[in-house]
Amino acid sequence: MAIHTMRILTNRKKRRADTRPALLIPDTITDTDVRIPLGLHLLISGTTGSGKTNLLLAILSTLICRVEAGDVCLLAVDLKDGVSANAVKNLYTSIAGTIEETVVLLQKVRSLITARNQWLKENLQLEIQPSQEQPLVIIVIDEALQLYGAIDPDTIKQQRKAQDLLDQILLMGRSTAVMIIAAIQDPRKEVFKLRERFPERITLRLNDKAEAIMAMNQTAITQGAAPWLIPTGRPGLAWFYDTDAHTAIRFQAPYINIDNLQAEIENIRPIDVSQLFPDSTQPPSHKEE
Ligand SMILES: Nc1ncnc2c1ncn2[C@@H]1O[C@H](COP(=O)(O)OP(=O)(O)O)[C@@H](O)[C@H]1O
Ligand SMILES: [Mg+2]
């Protein structure tokens, strides 16, 4: 049995009294969980090799039981042809591996938000409480900067569409139970214009303090976060700024062995894409092989 799996299971039992939904990421230094509010958009910044992809896998590991229960639904945007997301495809309801597929998938999510807002109005409610009927939708975007910087006009057009949809989803997702988790290498604003829309920030190793201020915020740095001091040989060492408690938390994410994770999710059946987006043309599904 995977060491990380055992730790995650043990930590699940140690869940604190706080019952608000949260991502509980194991910290291998203190053997406790770092508690990250679930439902708020999360931005992960870190240089190449700092451990972003592994941290995303660690986050996915903590969500397995929710995917199994059917109140969390994972969608992947993986513009390297969907290769990384495909390695854990049993967890995903849909994987977009190209910019065209990304636009289609984000349009579906945008329509879902409209439908959920309609439901909220009809039911005089202010926000969706995730359930099997209306699961929390989490869009996982590794290497989110691949949504920028194309050269040929056609791709530029598609990228602009995707960026615009992402912006709308970031604005309206919170109350409609749609959350984005994105990972980027370069937190500079001119590069990643949507940065300000992410209230929660995790920062792995970065090149310098200026990057860290952009990736988190000045308060996090004042409170002690120093991701530029993380050595290159320490992937997974990270800072999280807890906007609730106003504290900067340093933690070490567990190493995720992909074989063990795959074994663990072998029999998982996520919500079907036709169930999530009932009355529309279907975005790409991993089941269409
Ligand atoms: N928490 C961790 N503990 C140990 N090794 C890690 C950890 N996170 C990542 N690594 C290793 O560091 C390397 C880079 O990790 P990766 O997640 O691919 O970084 P990034 O996506 O930021 O480029 C990989 O070989 C990975 O196995
Ligand atoms: Mg990576």
Side-chain angles (χ1 to χ4, degrees):
M1 167 138 179
I3 292 170
H4 85 267
T5 312
M6 288 195 307
R7 183 172 295 117
I8 289 166
L9 290 175
T10 327
N11 281 346
R12 258 181 220 155
K13 287 182 203 137
K14 280 195 263 172
R15 198 175 287 219
R16 283 183 250 160
D18 191 341
T19 52
R20 283 172 303 172
L23 283 168
L24 300 174
I25 304 177
D27 170 16
T28 63
I29 299 173
T30 58
D31 205 20
T32 57
D33 296 327
V34 181
R35 195 181 172 86
I36 296 170
L38 193 59
L40 300 178
H41 309 300
L42 170 64
L43 181 64
I44 297 168
S45 311
T47 53
T48 301
S50 62
K52 298 180 295 296
T53 299
N54 180 81
L55 177 58
L56 287 174
L57 290 176
I59 290 172
L60 292 180
S61 303
T62 71
L63 290 168
I64 295 171
C65 54
R66 303 287 300 270
V67 174
E68 212 168 9
D71 63 348
V72 164
C73 173
L74 299 170
L75 306 174
V77 170
D78 176 3
L79 291 175
K80 287 187 174 164
D81 272 347
V83 174
S84 312
N86 191 63
V88 287
K89 64 178 181 180
N90 274 12
L91 285 174
Y92 285 116
T93 288
S94 183
I95 296 172
T98 64
I99 190 69
E100 290 79 13
E101 288 175 357
T102 301
V103 170
V104 174
L105 183 62
L106 295 180
Q107 274 164 344
K108 304 291 168 200
V109 176
R110 181 64 190 80
S111 305
L112 178 71
I113 288 177
T114 305
R116 286 185 173 183
N117 274 332
Q118 188 58 34
W119 184 92
L120 287 173
K121 281 195 249 172
E122 280 162 17
N123 292 277
L124 309 179
Q125 300 291 309
L126 294 176
E127 47 184 70
I128 301 284
Q129 304 299 331
S131 63
Q132 284 177 334
E133 288 70 40
Q134 301 189 102
L136 172 67
V137 175
I138 304 180
I139 308 174
V140 180
I141 314 178
D142 198 356
E143 303 284 0
L145 294 181
Q146 299 215 326
L147 291 165
Y148 296 79
I151 296 164
D152 82 282
D154 240 25
T155 316
I156 291 175
K157 214 168 136 196
Q158 295 292 318
Q159 286 189 338
R160 291 223 174 104
K161 267 191 206 166
Q163 292 160 15
D164 185 43
L165 285 162
L166 209 54
D167 192 32
Q168 295 174 36
I169 294 167
L170 283 163
L171 273 173
M172 290 189 278
R174 188 180 170 1
S175 55
T176 50
V178 176
M179 165 188 186
I180 293 178
I181 302 180
I184 56 167
Q185 304 173 27
D186 186 342
R188 283 176 298 156
K189 189 179 171 84
E190 61 271 26
V191 179
F192 190 56
K193 297 187 175 61
L194 301 175
R195 188 165 48 91
E196 299 305 326
R197 301 254 193 263
F198 290 81
E200 302 297 325
R201 316 279 178 94
I202 293 179
T203 309
L204 293 139
R205 182 179 179 279
L206 284 174
N207 291 311
D208 53 48
K209 192 173 176 178
E211 276 190 7
I213 293 170
M214 284 184 265
M216 303 187 102
N217 54 45
Q218 182 59 54
T219 322
I221 308 306
T222 310
Q223 294 294 324
W228 66 93
L229 296 178
I230 296 171
T232 39
R234 291 292 303 275
L237 192 56
W239 288 92
F240 168 63
Y241 185 65
D242 184 341
T243 40
D244 262 359
H246 292 290
T247 47
I249 299 163
R250 181 173 168 273
F251 71 99
Q252 170 71 48
Y255 173 70
I256 302 299
N257 178 304
I258 189 79
D259 296 331
N260 294 336
L261 178 57
Q262 284 168 344
E264 205 180 335
I265 63 175
E266 204 174 18
N267 299 315
I268 299 278
R269 293 286 165 266
I271 295 166
D272 195 75
V273 75
S274 59
Q275 195 185 332
L276 182 67
F277 306 116
D279 40 333
S280 53
T281 7
Q282 298 315 318
S285 160
H286 70 258
K287 290 177 189 106
E288 286 169 12
E289 281 154 39

